[in-house]
Structure formats: C-alpha cells, structure tokens
Amino acid sequence: MNTNEEVSNATPIVVVKNIPVQPVEARVIEMPHMMLPANLSEKLCNIYNLSKTTRFLAAIDIFFALIYCFYNYFFFIAFIVAFSGYYGAKKYNSTYLLIYATYIFLNNISRIGDIAYTIYYYDQNKINDRTNVNTSIVLASIFCLFNIYIARFVCVFWSKIKNMTPHEKDTLILIERENRVSPNYIWRV
C-alpha cells in the first residue's frame, strides 16, 4: 500500500516508534527511630506515646464539642470534659483522665440506650418506612464501637499514669518541654 493513497474507511494510521524504556531505580529510605534520652525507659516512652495519642483523640472531641456548642449550649459540658482529657494527658493527671473516661463511658451508655429506644419505638408503632432509621442505627452503632475503643485506650493510659511516681511524671513533662522526643502515635494498646 502506498502511503500517498487515501484510506477508504477513514481509519487513522498510528505509527509507533520503538523507544527503549529506562529502568527505574528504587531506594529504601529508612525512617529514623525515636531518639530516646538516656534517662527515659521504655515504659516512660510508651506512656509518652499514649499521652500524645490521647491528646490527639481529645482534641478531636474538643473540636466537635465546640461545633455542637453553637447548636446547643448543653454541649459546653462535653467541651469542658474533653478539654479535661486533653489537659490530663498533657500534665499526666489521672483525675482529669478519669473524668474524661467516665464521660466517654456515659456517652456510650446513652448512645446504646438511644439505639435500643429507637428500635423499640419503631417495633411498637409498626412503622414500615425504616430506611432512615436503619441508617441511623448503623451509624450510631459504628460510633459507639469507635467510642468504646477510645474509652479502652484512655483507661489503659489512665491505669499507667495512676501507677507512675511523681519523679517519672516530672521527667516526662521536662522532656516534653524540651521537645527531645518526637511523638509516635499508638493506635493499638
């Protein structure tokens, strides 16, 4: 076939050049390990990481409680309690953490009660349209499971702080003030 001739079915002709592919070099970059000061034991390092993670979770609670405060002033209590959890994790104060853990447990109990009441109400009144209710129940159950996980996490942290000596607490606060330890967030306890 001559290249000057017109193609009858108007199909485009694609010319592909054979270009060799350049190999890609992959390198493994090692992540730096957490630098431990000489006077920081593995136990204190674990407690420090638990503190950072609890602060992060409490900050999320603070954020949502602050948004809910604009909806209803009653949520200001949730804001104060979440702030006590943040402060307790920052200052390694077991009393403030116990208040925060109690709030999380009470929140879970009320959420479970709300789920049970919703199911009971729709069963008693024999309402057929349950599309929104089923979604609400599933989401509330997921949030409840997530809150139970957070409550377990905070309780483990509380029990470790409760058994610390004042010298260990002062050491962690001092090291944190000097920013000598980088946080390593723990999601498994």
Side-chain angles (χ1 to χ4, degrees):
M1 179 175 181
N2 190 350
T3 57
N4 292 334
E5 294 178 12
E6 206 173 295
V7 179
S8 62
N9 59 2
T11 304
I13 299 174
V14 179
V15 179
V16 179
K17 293 183 180 180
N18 195 3
I19 301 174
V21 178
Q22 299 292 329
V24 177
E25 289 184 31
R27 288 185 253 159
V28 177
I29 300 173
E30 291 187 27
M31 295 299 292
H33 296 292
M34 189 165 61
M35 299 298 294
L36 295 175
N39 61 347
L40 189 63
S41 68
E42 191 67 32
K43 173 190 163 193
L44 290 181
C45 181
N46 188 21
I47 291 173
Y48 176 79
N49 291 333
L50 288 169
S51 169
K52 286 292 189 178
T53 306
T54 303
R55 281 190 237 174
F56 177 74
L57 295 172
I60 292 172
D61 266 351
I62 289 170
F63 174 74
F64 284 113
L66 188 62
I67 290 174
Y68 290 149
C69 282
F70 295 118
Y71 174 69
N72 188 349
Y73 65 89
F74 178 73
F75 288 105
F76 190 70
I77 296 170
F79 173 77
I80 291 172
V81 172
F83 188 76
S84 77
Y86 181 86
Y87 185 78
K90 184 174 177 77
K91 297 296 181 183
Y92 302 97
N93 189 325
S94 62
T95 306
Y96 289 131
L97 282 172
L98 184 61
I99 291 170
Y100 183 55
T102 305
Y103 161 73
I104 292 174
F105 276 121
L106 291 175
N107 192 2
N108 280 336
I109 289 171
S110 69
R111 189 169 281 149
I112 291 170
D114 185 40
I115 292 169
Y117 176 74
T118 303
I119 292 171
Y120 174 77
Y121 177 78
Y122 276 87
D123 282 343
Q124 288 294 0
N125 293 326
K126 301 196 184 335
I127 298 174
N128 293 331
D129 185 23
R130 293 185 178 202
T131 54
N132 291 336
V133 175
N134 289 338
T135 304
S136 174
I137 290 172
V138 168
L139 286 176
S141 300
I142 290 171
F143 290 145
C144 188
L145 291 174
F146 185 66
N147 255 358
I148 289 171
Y149 176 73
I150 292 173
R152 179 182 170 270
F153 184 83
V154 171
C155 286
V156 167
F157 180 50
W158 170 75
S159 69
K160 289 188 180 206
I161 283 185
K162 188 176 64 167
N163 298 328
M164 284 176 61
T165 65
H167 176 69
E168 289 174 332
K169 290 180 185 180
D170 293 339
T171 302
L172 284 175
I173 291 172
L174 181 66
I175 287 172
E176 187 174 335
R177 211 175 276 155
E178 295 175 359
N179 289 328
R180 293 195 304 179
V181 179
S182 61
N184 184 11
Y185 295 103
I186 299 175
W187 299 107
R188 288 176 282 152
V189 178

